Amino acid sequence: MYTKQLKGAQKVVIFLILLGISFITYSQDTTQKSKSILILGDSHLVGDFGEYLHRYLYKMDKYDITSIAIGGAGSVHFTMTMKNFCCGYKIRVSKKGEVVGEKERFRTLEIQRVLTNEVVYKEYDGKLSKLVAAEKPDIVLIALGSNYVNAHQDLINIIQSNSADSKIIWIGPFLRENFQARIDAILKITNKYKIPLVRSDDIIGNDTLTTTHFYGKTASNWALKVTERLKPHLN
């Protein structure tokens, strides 16, 4: 028979068709990659503000999102080996299309609520450069400036040298002691590199010194307005 000249796989298909089994062919583009956002922040990102900000970005249903929040952090702490040097940290993640209920919290890769001095983001040995080089985030949101421990230039260098196409957006601090010095340091770097700056100082009042700082409706309102201001700069 002519089937002797066919390959094994072809014989199987013919056999199944003869049995009356039908096939449906699915066309799927496996090369399509979701856009991604990496968020870097301090204790406000650890707390309710971070959860709500992640929520509002997630609701846009466009991005894979990773947020790295380190209590007490300034930009300098992301230029060194990232560690839980102060008072806890949290890494949240979500994927485009992932279902997360309104009352559910986002998946947590790593979390501590007290000082442990352990490395943050162990998969990358606590090195932001390794993370950025591997993940190539489309957008990097920097929510830093509340803690006046700056290495803004070095942080920008790490991002740009490891993922030149990543778009950087800075979320400015709210009102607190020495605010002008804090915002001036940020403006110096954002103006230099034409980085969009989303201001927060007109949204809410001065922060507190509690662990999560702003929480509940106040944190939600802050995150919502920040997200609305971010939207024109997102791609």
Side-chain angles (χ1 to χ4, degrees), residues 100-118:
V100 183
E102 284 291 335
K103 295 185 179 180
E104 291 182 72
R105 291 193 173 270
F106 292 97
R107 284 185 294 123
T108 302
L109 288 186
E110 298 176 16
I111 184 171
Q112 288 289 348
R113 301 194 182 280
V114 295
L115 167 65
T116 61
N117 206 37
E118 68 187 284

Side-chain angles (χ1 to χ4, degrees), residues 2-223:
Y2 72 94
T3 54
K4 291 181 179 179
Q5 299 174 358
L6 299 176
K7 294 181 180 180
Q10 292 173 311
K11 291 179 182 179
V12 171
V13 170
I14 292 172
F15 177 70
L16 292 175
I17 291 174
L18 291 172
L19 289 178
I21 299 174
S22 60
F23 294 87
I24 300 174
T25 302
Y26 293 92
S27 176
Q28 184 177 14
D29 183 3
T30 57
T31 63
Q32 195 74 11
K33 182 179 180 292
S34 298
K35 290 188 175 182
S36 59
I37 294 178
L38 172 64
I39 314 173
L40 309 176
D42 53 26
S43 56
H44 290 278
L45 199 68
V46 174
D48 278 10
F49 169 71
E51 190 72 21
Y52 284 116
L53 179 63
H54 200 122
R55 173 71 60 181
Y56 293 129
L57 293 171
Y58 157 84
K59 284 184 174 181
M60 295 173 67
D61 196 30
K62 292 175 63 177
Y63 307 102
D64 295 340
I65 307 169
T66 299
S67 71
I68 307 174
I70 305 175
S75 55
V76 69
H77 297 101
F78 287 90
T79 66
M80 309 181 294
T81 298
M82 297 183 291
K83 288 188 175 182
N84 177 24
F85 69 95
C86 170
C87 40
Y89 76 101
K90 189 170 188 177
I91 303 177
R92 299 178 180 88
V93 293
S94 66
K95 297 291 185 182
K96 178 182 178 298
E98 180 177 352
V99 178
V100 183
E102 284 291 335
K103 295 185 179 180
E104 291 182 72
R105 291 193 173 270
F106 292 97
R107 284 185 294 123
T108 302
L109 288 186
E110 298 176 16
I111 184 171
Q112 288 289 348
R113 301 194 182 280
V114 295
L115 167 65
T116 61
N117 206 37
E118 68 187 284
V119 167
V120 172
Y121 221 133
K122 297 169 183 61
E123 179 180 351
Y124 295 104
D125 303 316
K127 302 295 186 183
L128 182 63
S129 57
K130 283 188 177 183
L131 166 62
V132 173
E135 301 293 336
K136 303 290 186 188
D138 294 285
I139 300 166
V140 180
L141 301 182
I142 303 174
L144 295 165
S146 298
N147 300 304
Y148 198 67
V149 193
N150 297 336
H152 296 344
Q153 179 67 66
D154 291 340
L155 178 57
I156 299 302
N157 290 346
I158 287 172
I159 296 167
Q160 292 185 336
S161 63
N162 288 283
S163 183
D165 293 330
S166 292
K167 181 174 185 176
I168 302 170
I169 307 173
W170 206 295
I171 299 173
F174 37 81
L175 294 173
R176 73 181 310 178
E177 187 179 357
N178 296 323
F179 171 78
Q180 195 59 50
R182 299 172 197 281
I183 198 66
D184 285 348
I186 293 170
L187 284 168
K188 181 179 179 181
I189 204 73
T190 55
N191 288 338
K192 179 179 179 180
Y193 291 98
K194 295 181 171 55
I195 294 170
L197 172 61
V198 173
R199 299 284 291 251
S200 288
D201 45 291
D202 63 329
I203 298 175
I204 51 178
N206 289 47
D207 72 320
T208 66
L209 295 178
T210 60
T211 303
T212 55
H213 303 279
F214 300 108
Y215 58 93
K217 289 184 178 179
T218 303
S220 176
N221 181 57
W222 178 19

